[in-house]
């Protein structure tokens, strides 16, 4: 394991690290910092909680010179909440270098104040949402990022999901020819790759795996959809539960919208959150979620990344995501702070491989189907239904097999013959029993017809 001292960083950057009380780099910091400090383009793939933010904030600090009076680094985040979080972390740089100017540019702030401040002086590091940075640079010409040498895109997959990648594309193309770009996200969607190829030159890719943790206080319930849609299956579950907040995950934006609309038709209070929504509606949705105004929240995985609630009592997963860690994160939205939680995993036949993979990872699924809120327990998922003959074979074998008995010559043949004899005897008994049942049924029918036939 390397130490921060091994990176040969400046004293002010080391002071910034000390102010954060960091003792040694996390795995992603260990790989990203030396590459970024040397000027390489970087693709960082890791989830929240791995030290990702400081994997780029430390190189930004190292490569920024406060004696040069222009913007040197631009950092974007897809929402103003995430941008504000980054800004709060970056502000500690001022304690290490008081002359360093770091500013936040997001919607909801006083735009006129931003313009006046920019007219007086430019920041060294600009942090903000893509839309506000594009507006201040291209529309107003106030924020001069054309000389910046670093562009960091945090939560790049979420930026794509919200449709903000075009905003970044609009101003990235006007930045310096030797622009260094760092992109960080949990996943690398195919739609993001053309943008990466356009701006990055032989990037260093750092992928940090994070073992998703299973919470033993969460019940995982498999719910078969059969020929029904996810919406119809959800409707069959809802009459039997009383959630405080129920978080419903969909794999696509269209599915999320369809489910939300279907629940609204039932007069349920629903908040919808995904990348196809207008910015204004997304902000309203986030406020509604933060205040727990609605019982049901329908979201995609990426859009839900900005949700941090301790009040989720139930989770419904509509199918399974491609990255099965996301299922564990979906379920992990409930059962927080020591409370119990429940996650319903709705499935079709195509989900067999995903379910078996999760079972191997230690998830114990209950198997229940629902009708009008009433649950019926099914046999464990993957357990084959034994035919009467199979069960009989099993019982006969148990009778014939004696523990600690000495094996004699010809034992296997004798055992097979004995099993076959008992098997035929059992079959005869089974057939006779069926014949007796059919005769009884026939006699009952005949007696019924003799007694009530004239009335029919």
């Amino acid at each position: 394991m390397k130490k921060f001292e091994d990176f040969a960083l400046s004293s002010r950057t080391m002071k910034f690290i000390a102010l954060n009380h960091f003792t040694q780099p996390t795995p992603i910091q260990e790989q990203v910092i030396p590459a970024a400090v040397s000027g390489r383009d970087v693709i960082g793939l890791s989830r929240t909680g791995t030290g990702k933010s400081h994997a780029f904030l430390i190189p930004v600090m190292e490569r920024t010179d406060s004696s040069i009076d222009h913007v040197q680094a631009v950092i974007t985040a897809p929402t103003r909440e995430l941008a504000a979080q980054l800004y709060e972390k970056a502000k500690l740089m001022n304690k290490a270098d008081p002359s360093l100017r770091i500013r936040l540019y997001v919607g909801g702030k006083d735009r006129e104040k931003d313009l006046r401040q920019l007219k007086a002086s430019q920041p060294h590091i600009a942090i903000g949402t893509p839309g506000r940075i594009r507006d201040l640079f291209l529309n107003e010409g106030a924020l001069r990022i054309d000389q910046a040498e670093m562009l960091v895109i945090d939560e790049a997959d979420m930026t794509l999901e919200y449709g903000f990648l075009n905003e970044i594309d609009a101003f990235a193309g006007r930045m310096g020819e030797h622009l260094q770009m760092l992109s960080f996200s949990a996943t690398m969607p195919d739609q993001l790759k053309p943008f990466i190829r356009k701006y990055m030159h032989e990037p260093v890719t750092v992928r940090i795996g994070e073992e998703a943790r299973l919470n033993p206080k969460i019940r995982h319930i498999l719910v078969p959809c059969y020929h029904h849609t996810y919406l119809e299956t959800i409707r069959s579950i809802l009459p039997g539960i009383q959630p405080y907040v129920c978080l419903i995950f969909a794999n696509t934006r269209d599915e999320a919208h369809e489910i939300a609309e279907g629940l609204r038709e039932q007069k349920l209070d629903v908040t919808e959150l995904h990348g196809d929504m207008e910015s204004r509606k997304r902000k309203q949705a986030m406020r509604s979620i933060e205040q727990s105004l609605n019982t049901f929240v329908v979201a995609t995985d990426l859009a839900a990344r900005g949700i941090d609630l301790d009040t989720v009592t139930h989770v419904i997963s509509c199918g399974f995501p491609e990255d099965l860690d996301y299922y564990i994160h979906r379920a992990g939205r409930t059962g927080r702070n020591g409370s119990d939680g429940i996650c319903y995993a709705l499935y079709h036949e195509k989900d067999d491989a995903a379910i078996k993979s999760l079972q191997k990872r230690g998830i114990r699924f209950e198997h229940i189907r629902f009708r009008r809120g009433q649950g019926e327990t099914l046999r464990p998922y993957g357990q084959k239904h034994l035919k009467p003959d199979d069960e009989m074979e099993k019982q006969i074998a148990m009778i014939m097999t004696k523990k600690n008995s000495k094996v004699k010559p010809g034992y296997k043949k004798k055992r097979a013959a004995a099993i076959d004899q008992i098997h035929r005897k059992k079959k005869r008994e089974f057939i006779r029993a069926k014949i007796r049942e059919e005769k009884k049924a026939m006699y009952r029918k005949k007696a019924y017809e003799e007694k009530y036939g004239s009335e029919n």
Side-chain angles (χ1 to χ4, degrees), residues 400 408-420:
M400 292 298 298
K408 297 178 181 179
Y411 167 78
K412 287 186 179 179
K413 286 183 180 179
K414 289 177 183 177
R415 180 178 179 276
I419 289 175
D420 183 57

Side-chain angles (χ1 to χ4, degrees), residues 309-355:
L309 285 177
D310 292 329
T311 53
V312 177
T313 53
H314 296 69
V315 169
I316 298 177
S317 176
C318 296
F320 297 88
E322 287 184 18
D323 183 347
L324 292 179
D325 273 358
Y326 273 117
Y327 169 76
I328 297 171
H329 289 297
R330 287 179 180 185
R333 294 308 188 106
T334 184
R336 293 189 171 184
N337 297 326
S339 60
D340 294 326
I342 188 165
C343 177
Y344 297 96
L346 281 47
Y347 77 92
H348 289 98
E349 285 185 12
K350 64 182 176 65
D351 297 313
D352 180 66
I355 295 168

Side-chain angles (χ1 to χ4, degrees), residues 53-235:
S53 299
H54 285 91
F56 59 78
L57 287 176
I58 290 170
V60 165
M61 176 79 178
E62 181 67 13
R63 300 203 69 202
T64 304
D65 186 346
S66 58
S67 66
I68 300 174
D69 198 22
H70 65 72
V71 181
Q72 295 167 55
V74 176
I75 303 172
T76 71
T79 69
R80 61 183 179 185
E81 292 81 11
L82 291 172
Q85 288 172 22
L86 286 176
Y87 175 66
E88 288 302 315
K89 291 177 181 179
K91 278 201 304 185
L92 264 183
M93 293 180 186
N94 277 134
K95 290 191 176 181
D97 183 354
S99 60
L100 194 65
R101 294 191 296 273
I102 307 159
R103 291 184 192 151
L104 176 67
Y105 302 105
V106 296
K109 279 188 68 188
D110 188 339
R111 187 168 175 274
E112 292 303 316
K113 183 179 177 181
D114 284 342
L115 292 172
R116 288 194 301 272
Q117 197 176 47
L118 286 167
K119 192 174 181 181
S121 65
Q122 294 286 309
H124 295 110
I125 300 170
I127 300 172
T129 49
R132 180 52 67 94
I133 289 175
R134 180 185 188 276
D135 174 48
L136 294 174
F137 174 42
L138 296 180
N139 296 342
E140 298 294 336
L143 178 61
R144 305 304 309 173
I145 63 173
D146 43 308
Q147 295 184 66
E149 296 174 353
M150 292 182 79
L151 173 59
V152 179
I153 305 170
D154 193 22
E155 306 290 3
D157 51 359
M158 195 172 174
T159 302
L160 172 71
E161 166 77 4
Y162 281 169
F164 294 150
L165 206 59
N166 290 338
E167 306 274 8
I168 295 176
D169 193 19
F171 62 73
R174 307 283 187 91
M175 296 173 76
E177 185 180 344
H178 302 292
L179 179 70
Q180 178 189 10
M181 184 178 287
L182 287 75
S183 168
F184 292 85
S185 59
T187 60
M188 177 56 74
D190 288 339
Q191 302 95 312
L192 189 59
K193 290 175 182 176
F195 177 86
I196 295 295
R197 285 195 294 269
K198 180 178 178 180
Y199 289 104
M200 290 194 175
H201 307 284
E202 299 180 356
V204 175
T205 300
V206 178
R207 189 186 300 270
I208 302 296
E210 177 197 0
E211 187 65 30
R213 295 178 182 178
L214 300 179
N215 183 343
K217 295 184 77 67
I218 297 172
R219 287 177 65 198
H220 296 265
I221 299 178
L222 278 176
V223 182
C225 294
Y226 299 116
H227 59 280
H228 301 293
T229 64
Y230 290 133
L231 175 60
E232 290 167 338
T233 308
I234 290 169
R235 283 173 171 166

Side-chain angles (χ1 to χ4, degrees), residues 365-376:
F365 287 108
E366 298 173 48
H367 198 195
I368 301 174
R369 70 176 173 189
F370 288 85
R371 290 175 182 170
R372 299 183 183 88
Q374 296 298 313
E376 177 189 346

